Amino acid sequence: MSDIEVLLPDGSARTLSEGASALDLASQIGARLAKDALAATVNGDLTDLTKPLPAGATVAIVTPASDLGREVLRHSTAHVLAQAVTRLWPGAHYAIGPAIRDGFYYDFSLPNGARFSDDDLGRIEAEMRVIMGENQPFVREEFSYDDGLALFADQPFKVEIITGVRDGATPEDASEVSGSVVSTYSNSPAFKDLCRGPHVPSTARLGHFKLMRVAGAYWRGDEKRPQLQRIYGTAWESKDALAAHLTQLEEAEKRDHRRLGQELDLFSFPSELGPGLAVFHPKGGTMRRVMEEYSRSRHVAAGYEFVNSPHITKAELFETSGHLQWFADGMYPPMDLDDGQQYYLKPMNCPFHVLIFKARQRSYRELPLRMFEFGTVYRYEKSGAVHGLTRVRGLTQDDAHIFCTREQMRDELVSLLTFVLDLLRDFGLNEFYLELSTRPAGKAVGTDEEWNEAEATLAEVATNAGLELVMDHGGGAFYGPKISVQAKDAIGRTHQLSTIQLDFQLPQRFDTSYIANDNARHRPIMIHRALFGSVERFMALLIEHYAGNIPTWMSPEQVRVLGVRDDHDAYAYDIAAALKQDGVRVSVEAANEPLGARIRRAKLEKVPYILVVGDDDVASGTLGINARGANDPERGVTLEEFRRRLSEEISSHGSPELTRGA
RNA sequence: GCCUGGGUAGCUCAGCCGGCAGAGCAGCUCAUUCGUAAUGAGCAGGUCAGGGGUUCGAUUCCCCUCCCAGGCUCCA
């Protein structure tokens, strides 16, 4: 038998006997690696450890504590989940069970229409641990399509996957099947699953997992197809990694804007109003006002005009714009008024701005014309889709529409992108990437030429911005492509924020024109853009980004002054009055309770600065500062010094507690 | 819209097999005057989401509606 040579990721070569597997390679390198190994990549493709290696291949051993390793063990855990479910519910049909971010899921259809309940998760988990204890090897086999169909004759979803791949109808299922054969993995004679693999060598290699929840999921993600029962789980390479993940989930829950909105008395969703309809309380209203005022001032500086439009309009407007044709499902049903007219709540502001443009003849000298409005719109979201402030039925967009010439378009987009990123940075977001959404298949209006030009321009501007650009093929709106700015928050989640959308269509539909210097009518280009997206959603993001520690400049209450004893209250009010002169949002809590209790309350309310004043301060005109997130309070600071520091922090939009690690 | 789970005092939650509705915090009153995360006592607070049904009796069991959560679908 001859030898083969394979390359390791570091470029070094190893000699193995022909037919040797990645597991043999791992053993040659070290016993510990062989023990850890879960799978391998051969020339970049993920495969089983036991598969013979081709000569000259570049081979890397996949170990648990890596992205690929976790993917493999999550996928294998999903198989064990399916096996456990078929043990507990004989006759259960299992559909697909991939690894996903942080875990895995598997979709099932139980016999006789049975459904999982949350209580079943414990039983299933226990059965999974039994299977893992049985140390079952994952064994790969390959079958022809016909044999595969026979094998899974009583598993309709598997049959559909195999026939779909055989007939080339569903290329995405190629992940379940490879080449002209179907592959299966069985970890016991009693359980075989259609799967491309790879899998861990044995079920005993699994175990640091937890089933999280049961949910409904449509087969193939299609509303019109049967709804399956999906079980979600999380799985990790070690007990510690699992525990860390669960802790992180708890941390994320603590900064959930819905919870903080309640705790900090910012907003609520009275059930009397219906789903997705929020009211802002005084504190939330203050934060929102500051956000909006700052945005307005920036827009003024950037040359925007301010406009306003009503919340309802005759159907005609949205017939002309095309919204009724495309998005009637997402609009509130019309009100029939007594003259037979139908009126709609507006789902978008753009048609109104077009009408403002059209209110009189426009000259090229007026372009670019930038119209801004905090426009409140209403969208009839499906009842199951609403979510806190991030997905609501009534929302306010920081919406603007820019009318410009084709020649101005590029420059306008460049300065717009700079403007967007500057503004977001002022709110404390610093990590971005851009996404370019292109023509949606089947539902776009407009010519190929228009789309191609729009997409090319946006791509050029996005590339020049120097940020990472991700393509979202087919993700554009029906009327034009868009760039969206994705921002990363303090715990690493990304959120789609600003969108900049090109639109060749609306100006046409409304027959919009301006007179150019050639004395002829020309069609303007329209750019739709929102920076916050929705004020509500942006506020939710900020609350979570800052974990409720709203930066001082936006904080509803910036300073609270506490006298140590009630004979210090008068001095406390003097301090507050002085700060009010600077425009600071300050309150005084009189000394009816022990100082510790009042400090605790202010801390829980996340007031940025608690000022404590006692005998020493009254005597020497000073104050004590207990700053949010600081380890120790500071004593004997002069009022002037505090005013200086505070105004510096507010005007710079600072958020020192982030750097203090609060 | 669909699936699963939930809705008990302002908030967080307990309440077993159907038998007079509970706690902590918050609120109010009184006392306490205190230097950096909870002073004490007392009081008040409920259509157990809403409606219907079963039952001698329903917060509890069943049905419908509303609202919430996690998913699926959707997101101009």
Side-chain angles (χ1 to χ4, degrees):
Chain A
M1 189 181 265
S2 57
D3 287 345
I4 59 167
E5 192 163 86
V6 296
L7 294 171
L8 297 183
D10 65 3
S12 64
R14 288 270 175 170
T15 304
L16 297 164
S17 55
E18 192 176 337
S21 68
L23 185 57
D24 298 324
L25 172 65
S27 305
Q28 193 191 85
I29 296 170
R32 178 146 175 209
L33 183 64
K35 185 165 165 282
D36 272 358
L38 288 185
T41 61
V42 176
N43 296 326
D45 295 330
L46 200 54
T47 68
D48 288 307
L49 273 182
T50 49
K51 193 175 177 182
L53 294 172
T58 298
V59 182
I61 303 299
V62 173
T63 52
S66 66
D67 287 346
L68 277 178
R70 281 183 283 263
E71 189 182 320
V72 171
L73 67 87
R74 284 166 186 159
H75 188 185
S76 297
T77 306
H79 272 233
V80 174
L81 167 59
Q83 187 181 359
V85 167
T86 55
R87 278 189 182 184
L88 295 170
W89 282 268
H93 294 156
Y94 43 107
I96 54 169
I100 54 173
R101 183 186 161 82
D102 297 337
F104 59 91
Y105 68 78
Y106 215 114
D107 287 348
F108 301 95
S109 168
L110 297 182
N112 306 317
R115 312 246 180 231
F116 295 120
S117 79
D118 285 359
D119 298 336
D120 294 327
L121 293 183
R123 292 171 57 204
I124 299 168
E125 213 174 286
E127 191 61 36
M128 288 171 71
R129 294 197 192 284
V130 168
I131 292 167
M132 291 170 186
E134 288 169 4
N135 191 13
Q136 303 174 358
F138 277 87
V139 178
R140 181 188 174 94
E141 292 169 283
E142 294 185 353
F143 298 93
S144 68
Y145 286 138
D146 287 346
D147 289 348
L149 288 171
L151 205 55
F152 290 104
D154 59 347
Q155 287 292 337
F157 300 111
K158 300 297 175 188
V159 167
E160 190 173 332
I161 291 168
I162 295 170
T163 53
V165 173
R166 184 191 60 193
D167 304 341
T170 47
E172 69 269 21
D173 284 326
S175 61
E176 301 287 335
V177 181
S178 57
S180 58
V181 294
V182 296
S183 55
T184 66
Y185 281 79
S186 50
N187 32 11
S188 83
F191 181 77
K192 195 184 286 285
D193 194 5
L194 180 67
C195 184
R196 190 175 60 170
H199 280 287
V200 300
S202 143
T203 59
R205 303 297 297 274
L206 309 171
H208 308 293
F209 76 100
K210 182 173 159 59
L211 298 184
M212 303 301 282
R213 60 182 63 94
V214 33
Y218 298 105
W219 169 234
R220 300 252 191 240
D222 184 345
E223 237 180 321
K224 293 174 190 67
R225 307 181 84 155
Q227 185 162 37
L228 307 176
Q229 298 278 296
R230 176 172 296 177
I231 294 178
Y232 281 95
T234 186
W236 297 83
E237 69 275 16
S238 67
K239 191 178 170 186
D240 287 349
L242 173 63
H245 178 247
L246 296 177
T247 303
Q248 205 202 330
L249 288 182
E250 279 170 35
E251 289 303 314
E253 204 178 310
K254 276 186 201 157
R255 56 171 78 207
D256 188 309
H257 74 278
R258 294 165 299 183
R259 174 193 180 119
L260 287 165
Q262 167 79 261
E263 287 174 3
L264 302 180
D265 195 16
L266 300 175
F267 52 81
S268 60
F269 294 88
S271 59
E272 291 84 342
L273 302 188
L277 297 169
V279 289
F280 285 80
H281 301 186
K283 287 180 180 173
T286 298
M287 177 178 170
R288 182 174 169 151
R289 192 196 87 224
V290 174
M291 290 167 60
E292 291 179 356
E293 281 173 355
Y294 182 68
S295 168
R296 280 201 184 87
S297 70
R298 292 295 304 263
H299 279 85
V300 170
Y304 285 78
E305 312 282 349
F306 285 69
V307 299
N308 284 101
S309 58
H311 291 202
I312 63 171
T313 172
K314 287 195 291 192
E316 185 187 343
L317 186 71
F318 293 115
E319 281 162 9
T320 306
S321 70
H323 288 103
L324 267 175
Q325 183 190 344
W326 296 96
F327 294 106
D329 284 354
M331 293 170 65
Y332 273 87
M335 287 168 258
D336 282 305
L337 299 189
D338 49 12
D339 59 355
Q341 288 287 348
Q342 292 198 320
Y343 279 77
Y344 281 92
L345 279 169
K346 69 169 168 181
M348 293 208 84
N349 302 301
C350 28
F352 298 85
H353 295 184
V354 175
L355 294 186
I356 294 168
F357 185 91
K358 285 184 58 154
R360 62 173 168 78
Q361 200 169 60
R362 297 288 175 180
S363 157
Y364 73 98
R365 295 176 196 277
E366 297 179 74
L367 305 184
L369 181 54
R370 308 180 186 93
M371 296 188 204
F372 179 94
E373 173 176 14
F374 276 111
T376 302
V377 298
Y378 298 89
R379 297 177 177 185
Y380 189 74
E381 302 286 359
K382 285 181 183 176
S383 65
V386 296
H387 177 92
L389 284 180
T390 60
R391 193 76 183 275
V392 287
R393 284 181 169 173
L395 60 128
T396 303
Q397 297 179 310
D398 58 332
D399 207 2
H401 297 92
I402 300 170
F403 297 86
C404 64
T405 68
R406 255 183 148 86
E407 294 70 40
Q408 290 168 332
M409 178 172 75
R410 176 169 288 99
D411 285 351
E412 195 60 27
L413 288 171
V414 169
S415 66
L416 184 49
L417 199 54
T418 310
F419 178 58
V420 169
L421 296 174
D422 279 356
L423 187 91
L424 293 181
R425 288 189 181 106
D426 286 339
F427 281 92
L429 300 167
N430 291 302
E431 279 191 75
F432 308 106
Y433 70 91
L434 302 175
E435 191 169 273
L436 176 56
S437 301
T438 60
R439 181 173 194 164
K443 60 180 244 179
V445 294
T447 66
D448 287 350
E449 187 201 353
E450 286 168 338
W451 274 89
N452 292 343
E453 178 182 350
E455 289 178 7
T457 307
L458 282 179
E460 185 191 325
V461 170
T463 306
N464 290 344
L467 295 173
E468 186 193 350
L469 177 66
V470 174
M471 295 303 294
D472 171 27
H473 294 287
F478 73 89
Y479 54 77
K482 71 177 178 194
I483 295 180
S484 58
V485 178
Q486 312 280 329
K488 204 174 248 192
D489 73 11
I491 55 174
R493 299 173 299 189
T494 59
H495 307 266
Q496 176 177 314
L497 286 180
S498 319
T499 56
I500 299 174
Q501 195 140 23
L502 271 174
D503 185 352
F504 292 135
Q505 301 308 318
L506 220 47
Q508 261 175 37
R509 296 186 79 107
F510 280 91
D511 191 23
T512 313
S513 63
Y514 63 92
I515 309 292
N517 61 357
D518 61 0
N519 200 31
R521 288 179 187 274
H522 292 265
R523 182 90 64 213
I525 300 285
M526 198 173 165
I527 302 171
H528 306 241
R529 38 110 295 170
L531 310 193
F532 297 157
S534 105
V535 178
E536 291 81 0
R537 196 174 75 99
F538 191 64
M539 187 166 155
L541 184 150
L542 291 179
I543 290 167
E544 299 194 358
H545 178 63
Y546 291 110
N549 296 308
I550 308 302
T552 307
W553 71 280
M554 281 188 279
S555 187
E557 181 179 354
Q558 299 170 311
V559 177
R560 185 174 299 178
V561 192
L562 308 177
V564 173
R565 265 191 334 265
D566 60 5
D567 52 322
H568 303 127
D569 282 350
Y571 181 72
Y573 280 106
D574 288 345
I575 298 278
L579 292 171
K580 259 180 200 153
Q581 292 289 309
D582 299 345
V584 173
R585 295 184 288 277
V586 54
S587 71
V588 175
E589 185 177 4
N592 293 321
E593 278 188 283
L595 181 63
R598 285 176 290 149
I599 287 181
R600 178 166 194 271
R601 179 156 42 242
K603 288 286 184 191
L604 290 174
E605 291 175 33
K606 301 186 188 289
V607 177
Y609 289 99
I610 301 166
L611 302 184
V612 175
V613 292
D615 290 333
D616 300 349
D617 300 298
V618 172
S620 50
T622 58
L623 43 83
I625 303 174
N626 189 328
R628 185 174 63 189
N631 291 325
D632 300 303
E634 204 179 338
R635 291 277 296 269
V637 179
T638 65
L639 174 61
E640 284 321 302
E641 167 67 7
F642 178 69
R643 287 170 82 164
R644 193 190 59 72
R645 285 195 221 166
L646 186 65
S647 73
E648 156 66 19
E649 180 180 329
I650 290 172
S651 62
S652 70
H653 291 189
S655 47
E657 42 282 299
L658 276 190
T659 46
R660 282 186 204 122

